[in-house]
Amino acid sequence: MRTFLASIIGLLFFHNALISQAPIKSSATDIYHSLQKLNFLGTALYIAAHPDDENTRLISYLSNEVKAQTGYLSLTRGDGGQNLIGPELRELLGTLRTQELLAARRIDGGEQFFTRANDFGYSKHPNETLKIWDKEAVLNDVVWIIRNFKPDVIINRFDHRSPGSTHGHHTSSAMLSVEAFDLANDPSVFPNQLESTEVWQPKRLFFNTSWWFYGSEDKFLKANKSNMLSLDVGVYYPLKGLSNNEIAALASSQHLCQGFGRLSNRGSEKEYLELLKGNTPKDPTNVFEGIDTSWSRVEGGEAVGKILYALEKEFDFTNPAKHLPALLKAHKAIQQLKDAYWRSLKTKALENIILDINGLYLEASATAPHMYPGGNLPINIEVLNRSSNAITLKSVSIANGQEEHKNIVLKENDKESFQMNLDIPKNTPYTTPYWLIEKGSIGMYTVKDQELIGRPESPAAFEVTFELTLNGYPMRIKKPVVYRYSKPDKGELYQDFVVLPKASASIKDKVLIFPNDQPKLIPITIRAHKDNLKGEIQLHYGKGWEVDKEVQFFNIEKKGDQTTISFQLSPPTEEDESYVSPIIKVNGEEISKELIEISYDHIPKQTVLLPTETKVVRINIDKAGEHIGYIVGAGDDIPESLEQIGYKVHKIDPMTIKSGTLSQFDAVVVGIRAYNVNADLKFKQPFLMDYVKEGGNLIIQYNTVDRSGKGMENLAPYPLSLSRDRVTEENSAVEILAKNHPVVTTPNIITAKDFDGWVQERGLYFPDQWSKEFTPILSMHDQGEEALKGSLLVAPYGKGYYMYTGLSFFRELPAGVPGAFKLFANMLSLDKREKQ
């Protein structure tokens, strides 16, 4: 059983390590700011549901103006959203958004935490949310994070008292926070946690309210604010040359996959905090008023404070290195503190300052970006003291036990470089996001290691420990093993050093549709992660399916190279859904992993290992037409799905649309949010309408509107008003209203059964008003709500058909939902001669 004292070092994971970032190069003003934060012993935790829910203005204000240790707890990783910058969805989108949050925190100075909750998509009510999430498990995580991070102040982004008025995830985050506020201090609640942490009682709980929650600025102006704190978060930081709002804008602009890039803002700006629990601060501008945030709050802390307050007052910006004796004295005094939490937290912060004042550079860089278990590679060690202080490198050791004793006196600005060998033990786990290692549920990720819960990302694969003496004082500093390289067009770059299997396999298509009984080739790409890779591969498949070869052999000479091996897969005669997965065998080891790399300039490169599998679907489907024009929207994989059932899809650049250019297509489809992400598309609307008028089929998928419902006028040939209506329950009953309409009869007969197996939702942003020319095809609703009839509207126009749909085809087709394919094929095949 681990004791709290023994495990407190492990709790430092709550202070997010920049595992794959370039080393921080701190200026004297940065060091001074760190010193100010070192002298503030107060903690604040901001709680919400998703990436981008956080108030970066307030997080930055608390971190940079108040100097508090500030964290953001996002209950989910945003897995259920959409991606405006690339193809990543679901687990991969969650990985991308995790890194965007960490990028934001590196700018605003906060720290980042998560629960195991999976963002399963929009939820209308917390009752649904907490049922799918497993309320008890998520509450467990919130309590765990509070007990470890020990916030004096908790601030909720959303109101716990208004269920049903906003996203169910939002309200749930506030409800769980309110409940955890008291439970965190109860030893009878989640007692297993107390093997490695201790109970904690926050002092105050706030709701970060604003005029938005009151409905209008006028209503908020008239509201009673006697129970609110008012903070001016528009302060200017002369040492940074930036205002708080500018920092906040830079931070929130890291959420690029959600289109959150925004202009900076300057000047005074108020944030309001409504007190929910705890005593009322006498100073309505200070969330920590009455809470001791000095070194005096810790037994024995006065001695530390005496040293560090004087150093802050006398800090020498031109020669910070001269403060080493005082900092070492403070370091020694901190080691005497009985409070293990503050001792560990402030030791780490102080050691970073000591490194910074000396310009002490410590790096362990692998000579390759990855290695497999059982392999080995050289590690480049670089040590540089850029001060005149007496610093000696005593030894360097790697986590697997290798150690080299050096006793090198580090002369000023005289770099010491050497190599060590890193042996990767055969039982070393592969590097991948820890929450994706085991299969989860629709609402929860599976994480069995309690110590990992809350962490934003997986720990570094390997660390190197530098044992030093500074003016004779011993100190041990750990650094992750990284990979440093350069690109001609980008310069010096850093990324994680990772452990990968000897090989990985991938199938390009995650869903394969068999619209008839004809076999298809399944190309499997094998990628070598070691030289001279020899092995065999076989395809695992379900009952009723057949392959032409049971085993095939491969030989790849160089690491990084790849080869493609194909199996011919024959489907059963009847409709069926199954999965196929390749299994690689190398020297008796079985590997069935796919390597996915996520690479964008605003985040560190991510390597994700997932099980290699492809869904295979045998459906009996008919279609008419052959050539489909497609105007791509945001995060849209429908073109590839349509090609699988035999269509030839031609992606259309809206700028090329002119009179007559669309006549070659049997149908034209406009992707999701295309009008939102392509401002020029609205100017091409007359040409789209002409295409329909002359006999074309036009399908427009959902676009978003603001809360006023404006911004999408003239979208259709007849009056049509979009709304924010949606049906979030993917298993909700669907009624076919227009039973004889060709869109549900030809060439495929659509029944209620075709709406079985849909994923995440039925649809969103349905029209709520339309002219008599439109025929509503379907009716559906969430539990306890009125039926919505705007999910699929069809209207004849001239010789053709105009269709608007909010159905989530963009989720269903890539997921291989048979009924969605049949309905979409009917829409594309709609007889131009029929008029309803």
Side-chain angles (χ1 to χ4, degrees):
M1 180 180 294
R2 297 181 62 194
T3 65
F4 170 69
L5 185 62
S7 67
I8 191 64
I9 300 300
L11 299 182
L12 287 174
F13 74 76
F14 283 106
H15 307 283
N16 304 328
L18 306 183
I19 292 176
S20 57
Q21 292 297 302
I24 296 174
K25 300 174 177 65
S26 298
S27 67
T29 55
D30 295 327
I31 297 170
Y32 181 71
H33 177 72
S34 298
L35 183 60
Q36 290 178 307
K37 288 180 72 71
L38 184 67
N39 281 333
F40 189 93
L41 280 70
T43 305
L45 181 63
Y46 199 88
I47 297 180
H50 310 107
D52 85 4
D53 284 345
E54 81 273 28
N55 186 337
T56 54
R57 291 189 303 270
L58 193 52
I59 291 174
S60 178
Y61 175 84
L62 292 170
S63 177
N64 295 299
E65 173 66 12
V66 179
K67 306 297 189 297
Q69 177 187 328
T70 307
Y72 173 44
L73 169 55
S74 175
L75 267 61
T76 76
R77 297 176 185 268
D79 329 74
Q82 295 166 33
N83 186 354
L84 295 182
I85 62 173
E88 295 83 10
L89 291 174
R90 292 305 307 153
E91 297 93 343
L92 299 179
L93 179 60
T95 302
L96 170 57
R97 290 188 172 181
T98 293
Q99 292 302 318
E100 289 187 334
L101 274 174
L102 288 172
R105 299 294 80 79
R106 286 190 285 271
I107 292 172
D108 61 30
E111 300 168 38
Q112 187 61 53
F113 318 112
F114 296 95
T115 71
R116 289 170 291 172
N118 191 341
D119 178 3
F120 56 84
Y122 191 86
S123 176
K124 291 182 177 177
H125 200 279
N127 289 348
E128 178 197 33
T129 298
L130 295 174
K131 181 179 179 181
I132 295 175
W133 271 356
D134 182 351
K135 177 191 173 184
E136 192 73 1
V138 182
L139 181 62
N140 186 313
D141 294 355
V142 176
V143 169
W144 166 255
I145 291 164
I146 290 173
R147 284 173 172 173
N148 283 291
F149 192 58
K150 301 190 184 307
D152 298 303
V153 172
I154 294 177
I155 302 172
N156 291 344
R157 183 68 182 104
F158 299 104
D159 190 353
H160 68 289
R161 299 159 295 192
S162 55
S165 64
T166 183
H167 198 322
H169 296 183
H170 293 168
T171 309
S172 296
S173 70
M175 293 169 64
L176 291 168
S177 174
V178 170
E179 192 170 352
F181 182 86
D182 296 318
L183 295 181
N185 198 38
D186 186 343
S188 69
V189 175
F190 308 125
N192 291 343
Q193 293 183 4
L194 302 181
E195 295 179 9
S196 53
T197 189
E198 60 184 1
V199 296
W200 178 255
Q201 181 58 61
K203 310 298 188 302
R204 295 185 181 116
L205 176 65
F206 294 98
F207 162 44
N208 183 196
T209 190
S210 69
W211 69 264
W212 191 88
F213 293 96
Y214 284 76
S216 70
E217 294 189 52
D218 184 59
K219 289 181 180 179
F220 186 62
L221 186 65
K222 297 175 182 177
N224 181 2
K225 299 183 182 62
S226 59
N227 196 37
M228 294 184 193
L229 271 65
S230 174
L231 311 178
D232 186 350
V233 298
V235 294
Y236 176 69
Y237 305 123
L239 290 178
K240 293 179 177 291
L242 292 169
S243 68
N244 189 72
N245 289 337
E246 289 173 303
I247 294 173
L250 289 171
S252 64
S253 291
Q254 301 307 301
H255 296 297
L256 294 183
C257 75
Q258 301 183 73
F260 262 55
R262 64 185 179 93
L263 291 172
S264 297
N265 187 27
R266 287 157 288 277
S268 178
E269 190 167 345
K270 293 292 182 68
E271 286 289 342
Y272 294 90
L273 303 179
E274 177 188 352
L275 182 68
L276 300 177
K277 290 190 176 188
N279 63 313
T280 304
K282 295 179 182 178
D283 180 355
T285 66
N286 184 0
V287 297
F288 287 97
E289 193 277 328
I291 300 172
D292 188 357
T293 58
S294 72
W295 280 101
S296 298
R297 81 176 288 172
V298 182
E299 182 181 349
E302 292 87 349
V304 180
K306 184 177 180 180
I307 301 167
L308 293 179
Y309 290 137
L311 195 154
E312 180 182 343
K313 185 177 180 181
E314 301 165 359
F315 186 76
D316 188 339
F317 286 85
T318 62
N319 183 24
K322 81 176 197 180
H323 298 301
L324 179 61
L327 291 170
L328 293 177
K329 185 178 179 181
H331 189 279
K332 185 176 182 179
I334 288 175
Q335 306 319 301
Q336 308 306 311
L337 298 178
K338 294 181 180 180
D339 189 311
Y341 174 75
W342 287 111
R343 182 177 70 243
S344 298
L345 174 66
K346 294 302 183 180
T347 293
K348 181 66 175 176
L350 180 53
E351 287 175 352
N352 286 334
I353 292 174
I354 290 172
L355 295 181
D356 288 341
I357 65 161
N358 291 291
L360 188 54
Y361 188 88
L362 308 172
E363 181 179 276
S365 176
T367 53
H370 55 79
M371 183 50 65
Y372 53 87
N376 63 80
L377 78 166
I379 302 294
N380 292 320
I381 304 296
E382 181 178 334
V383 183
L384 177 62
N385 169 26
R386 289 173 282 194
S387 75
S388 59
N389 286 316
I391 302 176
T392 300
L393 175 65
K394 304 295 289 185
S395 69
V396 180
S397 60
I398 303 179
N400 65 353
Q402 182 184 356
E403 182 175 4
E404 288 195 13
H405 296 276
K406 293 295 182 181
N407 286 320
I408 299 173
V409 175
L410 301 177
K411 299 176 182 178
E412 184 175 359
N413 212 30
D414 190 1
K415 183 175 69 174
E416 296 289 342
S417 300
F418 52 91
Q419 280 193 338
M420 297 178 68
N421 194 61
L422 173 59
D423 293 315
I424 313 292
K426 290 184 177 180
N427 62 350
T428 303
Y430 303 141
T431 304
T432 197
Y434 70 85
W435 61 95
L436 300 180
I437 293 174
E438 297 195 36
K439 189 175 181 62
S441 66
I442 187 176
M444 296 293 294
Y445 284 116
T446 299
V447 181
K448 294 182 179 178
D449 185 347
Q450 181 69 43
E451 298 295 332
L452 288 174
I453 294 173
R455 289 183 186 237
E457 55 187 341
S458 298
F462 288 93
E463 288 184 324
V464 169
T465 300
F466 297 85
E467 185 177 348
L468 307 157
T469 60
L470 299 94
N471 288 358
Y473 184 83
M475 190 171 294
R476 295 168 63 88
I477 304 295
K478 291 185 177 182
K479 293 288 184 178
V481 176
V482 298
Y483 175 61
R484 179 165 65 103
Y485 63 107
S486 67
K487 286 188 174 182
D489 58 336
K490 294 184 179 179
E492 185 178 63
L493 297 170
Y494 282 78
Q495 67 184 60
D496 295 346
F497 169 75
V498 297
V499 178
L500 299 179
K502 294 175 182 176
S504 58
S506 64
I507 303 175
K508 178 184 176 183
D509 297 310
K510 300 309 172 190
V511 173
L512 285 170
I513 306 298
F514 291 74
N516 49 49
D517 61 1
Q518 295 301 303
K520 286 189 175 185
L521 282 179
I522 312 293
I524 302 170
T525 300
I526 303 170
R527 184 174 171 184
H529 304 302
K530 70 180 293 292
D531 291 332
N532 299 316
L533 181 73
K534 296 180 181 180
E536 62 183 56
I537 185 169
Q538 64 185 64
L539 192 65
H540 184 270
Y541 52 93
K543 184 178 180 181
W545 297 77
E546 296 180 354
V547 296
D548 60 337
K549 299 176 182 177
E550 287 299 322
V551 176
Q552 297 191 58
F553 297 90
F554 64 87
N555 184 357
I556 305 175
E557 290 187 8
K558 291 188 177 296
K559 178 173 66 175
D561 286 351
Q562 55 191 36
T563 188
T564 299
I565 293 178
S566 295
F567 289 86
Q568 183 171 277
L569 181 68
S570 298
T573 55
E574 302 298 325
E575 291 193 344
D576 186 64
E577 296 180 46
S578 186
Y579 288 88
V580 297
S581 57
I583 300 173
I584 297 172
K585 294 183 179 180
V586 179
N587 296 330
E589 178 184 358
E590 291 191 355
I591 304 167
S592 185
K593 294 289 185 182
E594 176 181 5
L595 173 64
I596 301 112
E597 295 177 323
I598 302 175
S599 183
Y600 294 97
D601 288 343
H602 66 301
I603 65 166
K605 184 178 181 179
Q606 299 297 298
T607 57
V608 183
L609 287 169
L610 294 177
T612 311
E613 64 178 15
T614 284
K615 183 179 181 181
V616 289
V617 182
R618 168 71 171 95
I619 58 176
N620 294 315
I621 187 170
D622 293 318
K623 65 181 182 65
E626 183 177 6
H627 295 278
I628 306 298
Y630 203 99
I631 301 172
V632 177
D636 196 345
D637 291 329
I638 288 181
E640 291 76 12
S641 298
L642 296 180
E643 288 173 344
Q644 290 210 38
I645 58 172
Y647 283 108
K648 295 179 180 178
V649 181
H650 309 266
K651 294 183 180 180
I652 302 171
D653 179 353
M655 296 301 294
T656 66
I657 298 175
K658 294 186 262 187
S659 178
T661 58
L662 302 177
S663 60
Q664 60 184 303
F665 302 119
D666 297 303
V668 172
V669 182
V670 179
I672 60 169
R673 298 180 66 183
Y675 289 89
N676 300 133
V677 299
N678 191 325
D680 294 322
L681 186 55
K682 63 183 177 182
F683 300 112
K684 303 297 181 178
Q685 197 68 8
F687 301 122
L688 291 172
M689 294 301 102
D690 286 345
Y691 165 73
V692 180
K693 195 172 183 179
E694 293 303 316
N697 278 354
L698 177 65
I699 301 171
I700 296 183
Q701 298 176 84
Y702 94 91
N703 284 267
T704 60
V705 292
D706 59 26
R707 295 187 179 277
S708 68
K710 296 181 179 180
M712 284 293 146
E713 296 81 7
N714 304 316
L715 196 63
Y718 311 112
L720 178 73
S721 177
L722 304 187
S723 74
R724 301 176 70 84
D725 291 346
R726 63 175 75 203
V727 176
T728 64
E729 297 170 13
E730 63 268 32
N731 297 317
S732 60
V734 176
E735 179 187 357
I736 300 175
L737 299 173
K739 292 182 173 59
N740 296 319
H741 196 288
V743 83
V744 292
T745 64
T746 309
N748 304 288
I749 297 175
I750 304 299
T751 68
K753 188 176 183 300
D754 289 302
F755 294 93
D756 292 346
W758 284 47
V759 299
Q760 191 157 325
E761 63 201 353
R762 289 293 188 201
L764 61 170
Y765 291 96
F766 296 167
D768 59 354
Q769 298 179 48
W770 52 86
S771 68
K772 61 181 178 58
E773 287 84 1
F774 285 100
T775 299
I777 305 299
L778 306 170
S779 174
M780 58 191 70
H781 62 90
D782 283 325
Q783 187 175 2
E785 297 186 357
E786 293 184 0
L788 300 177
K789 301 179 180 180
S791 64
L792 175 56
L793 301 173
V794 182
Y797 180 63
K799 300 176 184 179
Y801 278 103
Y802 174 95
M803 288 165 267
Y804 188 92
T805 181
L807 292 171
S808 296
F809 288 111
F810 73 101
R811 296 195 193 280
E812 312 313 320
L813 299 192
V817 177
F821 270 97
K822 292 179 181 179
L823 180 55
F824 209 90
N826 281 11
M827 293 161 62
L828 294 171
S829 307
L830 195 56
D831 189 344
K832 302 175 180 62
R833 295 166 295 178
E834 298 270 359
K835 297 290 184 292
Q836 296 296 311

